Amino acid sequence: DGLWKDPQTGRTVVPKAHSHIPAFALLIKVLDKWRAEHGGAMPQSSADKDAFKNLFDELQLSPIQDEENFVEAKQLARHAYAPFEVSSEVRS
């Protein structure tokens, strides 16, 4: 529905505050939602990754889906599901 509730107060986040949620926080929120709906799995296929990115659009309040923080979070989405491995040089 695009409206968020503050987890500590239970109050709905107003549109002005909504536009100031950091992109990284949005990415974590969308990732949590995705994993809850997919048994803890990360997006794997191209279709999954597209569906994951579409979750950002669903949470925006703006009907034209141009909120800067959401656009930025959507651009960062690949970092949420890209494999990460510590190089052997660092592990040694």
Side-chain angles (χ1 to χ4, degrees):
D1 61 57
L3 298 178
W4 292 24
K5 293 204 180 271
D6 182 305
Q8 294 177 339
T9 65
R11 289 184 286 190
T12 301
V13 176
V14 296
K16 186 174 181 178
H18 191 259
S19 67
H20 292 284
I21 299 170
F24 188 76
L26 295 170
L27 183 59
I28 291 171
K29 182 167 182 73
V30 169
L31 184 59
D32 285 346
K33 178 180 170 118
W34 175 271
R35 293 184 74 188
E37 294 173 356
H38 294 87
M42 301 293 280
Q44 298 292 323
S45 69
S46 204
D48 282 352
K49 293 172 184 178
D50 289 343
F52 178 76
K53 289 179 182 177
N54 287 337
L55 291 175
F56 292 98
D57 294 337
E58 293 173 14
L59 294 173
Q60 290 191 60
L61 296 178
S62 169
I64 57 172
Q65 300 171 333
D66 67 344
E67 293 177 64
E68 187 175 340
N69 53 336
F70 283 84
V71 171
E72 183 181 347
K74 199 172 181 179
Q75 292 169 345
L76 294 171
R78 63 184 173 84
H79 296 292
Y81 48 73
F84 176 78
E85 186 176 318
V86 176
S87 69
S88 58
E89 295 84 29
V90 174
R91 284 185 276 167
S92 301

